[in-house]
Amino acid sequence: MIETQGAKQGGEPVRNDWSRAEAEALYDLPFSDLVFRAQTVHRAHFDPNHVETASLLSIKTGGCPEDCGYCSQSAHYDTGLKATRLMDKQDVIATAQRAKAAGAERFCMAAAWRNPKDRDLDQVCEMVSAVKGLGMETCVTLGMLTPAQAGRLRDAGLDFYNHNVDTSPDYYDQIITTRTLQDRIDTLGHVREAGIKVCCGGIIGMGEQVTDRLGMLVLLANMATHPESVPINLWNQVKGVPVNDTAERPDPIGVARLVAVARIMMPQSVVRLSAGRQYMTDELQALCFLAGANSIFIGDVLLTTRNPQRDRDADLLDRLGIKSGLERTVQADAELVARAG
């Protein structure tokens, strides 16, 4: 057994040598046994009663030359989305300030590019430095990067780079043809070599099988260093894209099982419930937190799709006794009301 990321803790080693059969065996455990094991691992590495809150902003929307079959921003499909230019830096900073006031601890900026041009990267680096100056963690997703570009983002103060593998190696070419999985792995390598933390996960519900979802987790868990953040996205319905023909909403218990397997296989990674939470009941989200999820995106919109409103999230986390950035803002709102009264 290979242990490359630290000693055994909480009864589970940190491993980078998982097999598909092992992942399937975990997934197939009796549900209570699986969740108990995942929660035990979770408690060895994280506060089980804290959820990280992040905010996501599209700083350049639409017109992407990639043909990702799930994406509203691809220029290959008629989705009714109007392409925009890169946002002004001051508008991005103002949005980040509002996100921080609303309870976000991390601010993520996304641009619909295959890869950024250096002149555009100049502006993004300025945005990163400015948001970092607000006291927030920073994350960007800009498509493929060269080693030099990754170094520039590091020098600007970037904390995380998001670049999802999207699905399993076996299902990948059913979703995307304009960029190979190896292209994605290469960019992740450049980011890691630059000293930037990696945010990498994928999407479920596009028509893939459970074995593909587990194959995606095996790919991530067998990286030399696990991604520090692992977003699990439920596909958001988008008109005009090919995935509409294959999409199938995942079984809710299956979603919780997948979160638990991710937690066991990548014990030190933050596992985020990302896109598609508006399709999840409060009960399913609670199960996922119990299974080891410990991050969410807040805000009414994620790039071009819907997201639960802040008040709903704050109410759910409060009922579960979970601490978050939202808890602080709710307290601040109450104090403002009390002073006004």
Side-chain angles (χ1 to χ4, degrees):
M1 184 177 293
I2 302 170
E3 298 182 20
T4 62
Q5 285 187 263
K8 186 173 181 178
Q9 298 185 45
E12 299 281 349
V14 179
R15 295 175 49 189
N16 309 78
D17 63 344
W18 291 93
S19 69
R20 180 79 67 89
E22 287 177 301
E24 291 175 359
L26 284 174
Y27 186 90
D28 289 338
L29 283 171
F31 187 71
S32 60
D33 293 345
L34 174 60
V35 172
F36 178 80
R37 183 169 171 181
Q39 179 64 200
T40 301
V41 172
H42 188 58
R43 286 172 178 268
H45 299 279
F46 295 98
D47 177 353
N49 297 309
H50 177 264
V51 165
E52 170 195 272
T53 47
S55 180
L56 176 62
L57 173 68
S58 179
I59 59 174
K60 191 278 175 188
T61 302
C64 181
E66 304 283 14
D67 70 351
C68 305
Y70 53 80
C71 188
S72 63
Q73 303 196 63
S74 172
H76 291 257
Y77 316 120
D78 181 11
T79 65
L81 187 71
K82 183 178 179 180
T84 67
R85 296 179 180 273
L86 184 64
M87 284 180 66
D88 178 77
K89 182 180 76 171
Q90 294 305 318
D91 291 336
V92 172
I93 295 170
T95 304
Q97 289 171 326
R98 290 192 296 271
K100 182 178 181 181
E105 300 162 298
R106 183 183 302 176
F107 191 69
C108 307
M109 294 162 275
W113 290 320
R114 175 177 169 82
N115 49 277
K117 297 181 174 62
D118 285 340
R119 66 174 180 273
D120 293 322
L121 196 65
D122 292 340
Q123 297 178 67
V124 174
C125 285
E126 292 177 5
M127 294 174 189
V128 168
S129 296
V131 173
K132 185 80 169 177
L134 299 176
M136 304 180 77
E137 285 189 325
T138 55
C139 178
V140 298
T141 178
L142 313 172
M144 294 184 291
L145 295 179
T146 66
Q149 289 175 326
R152 291 184 59 197
L153 288 166
R154 174 204 60 215
D155 293 344
L158 185 67
D159 296 301
F160 290 84
Y161 192 83
N162 168 260
H163 201 57
N164 291 334
V165 294
D166 285 346
T167 189
S168 72
D170 294 334
Y171 198 67
Y172 185 89
D173 62 3
Q174 301 296 309
I175 301 297
I176 304 156
T177 67
T178 52
R179 183 194 311 184
T180 67
L181 181 57
Q182 188 57 50
D183 289 333
R184 294 177 183 269
I185 298 298
D186 289 346
T187 287
L188 292 170
H190 300 329
V191 168
R192 185 65 77 188
E193 289 167 7
I196 300 169
K197 296 175 184 176
V198 168
C199 175
C200 184
I203 308 168
I204 63 175
M206 299 186 291
E208 78 289 340
Q209 302 300 307
V210 169
T211 53
D212 291 306
R213 298 168 194 169
L214 294 172
M216 177 184 72
L217 294 186
V218 169
L219 173 63
L220 298 174
N222 286 348
M223 291 179 175
T225 301
H226 295 163
E228 282 81 2
S229 289
V230 179
I232 296 178
N233 300 273
L234 275 65
W235 182 64
N236 265 311
Q237 187 172 354
V238 175
K239 70 173 186 178
V241 298
V243 163
N244 277 309
D245 297 331
T246 59
E248 184 176 353
R249 193 69 50 77
D251 166 60
I253 299 301
V255 174
R257 284 184 176 276
L258 195 71
V259 169
V261 173
R263 169 52 63 223
I264 294 167
M265 293 174 65
M266 293 172 280
Q268 297 174 336
S269 301
V270 169
V271 177
R272 178 181 299 125
L273 301 180
S274 296
R277 275 198 308 117
Q278 77 272 18
Y279 302 129
M280 300 172 70
T281 64
D282 287 355
E283 293 81 4
L284 175 54
Q285 291 186 70
L287 272 182
C288 289
F289 294 140
L290 188 64
N294 58 341
S295 178
I296 59 173
F297 275 124
I298 63 171
D300 295 347
V301 176
L302 292 184
L303 299 182
T304 64
T305 56
R306 293 181 296 117
N307 195 52
Q309 294 184 340
R310 188 193 78 158
D311 289 348
R312 176 190 166 187
D313 286 333
D315 177 68
L316 173 61
L317 296 179
D318 180 62
R319 284 185 285 139
L320 295 174
I322 291 177
K323 302 182 293 292
S324 71
L326 289 175
E327 180 185 56
R328 293 192 295 274
T329 60
V330 169
Q331 291 172 346
D333 289 346
E335 290 170 2
L336 284 173
V337 170
R339 285 199 296 269

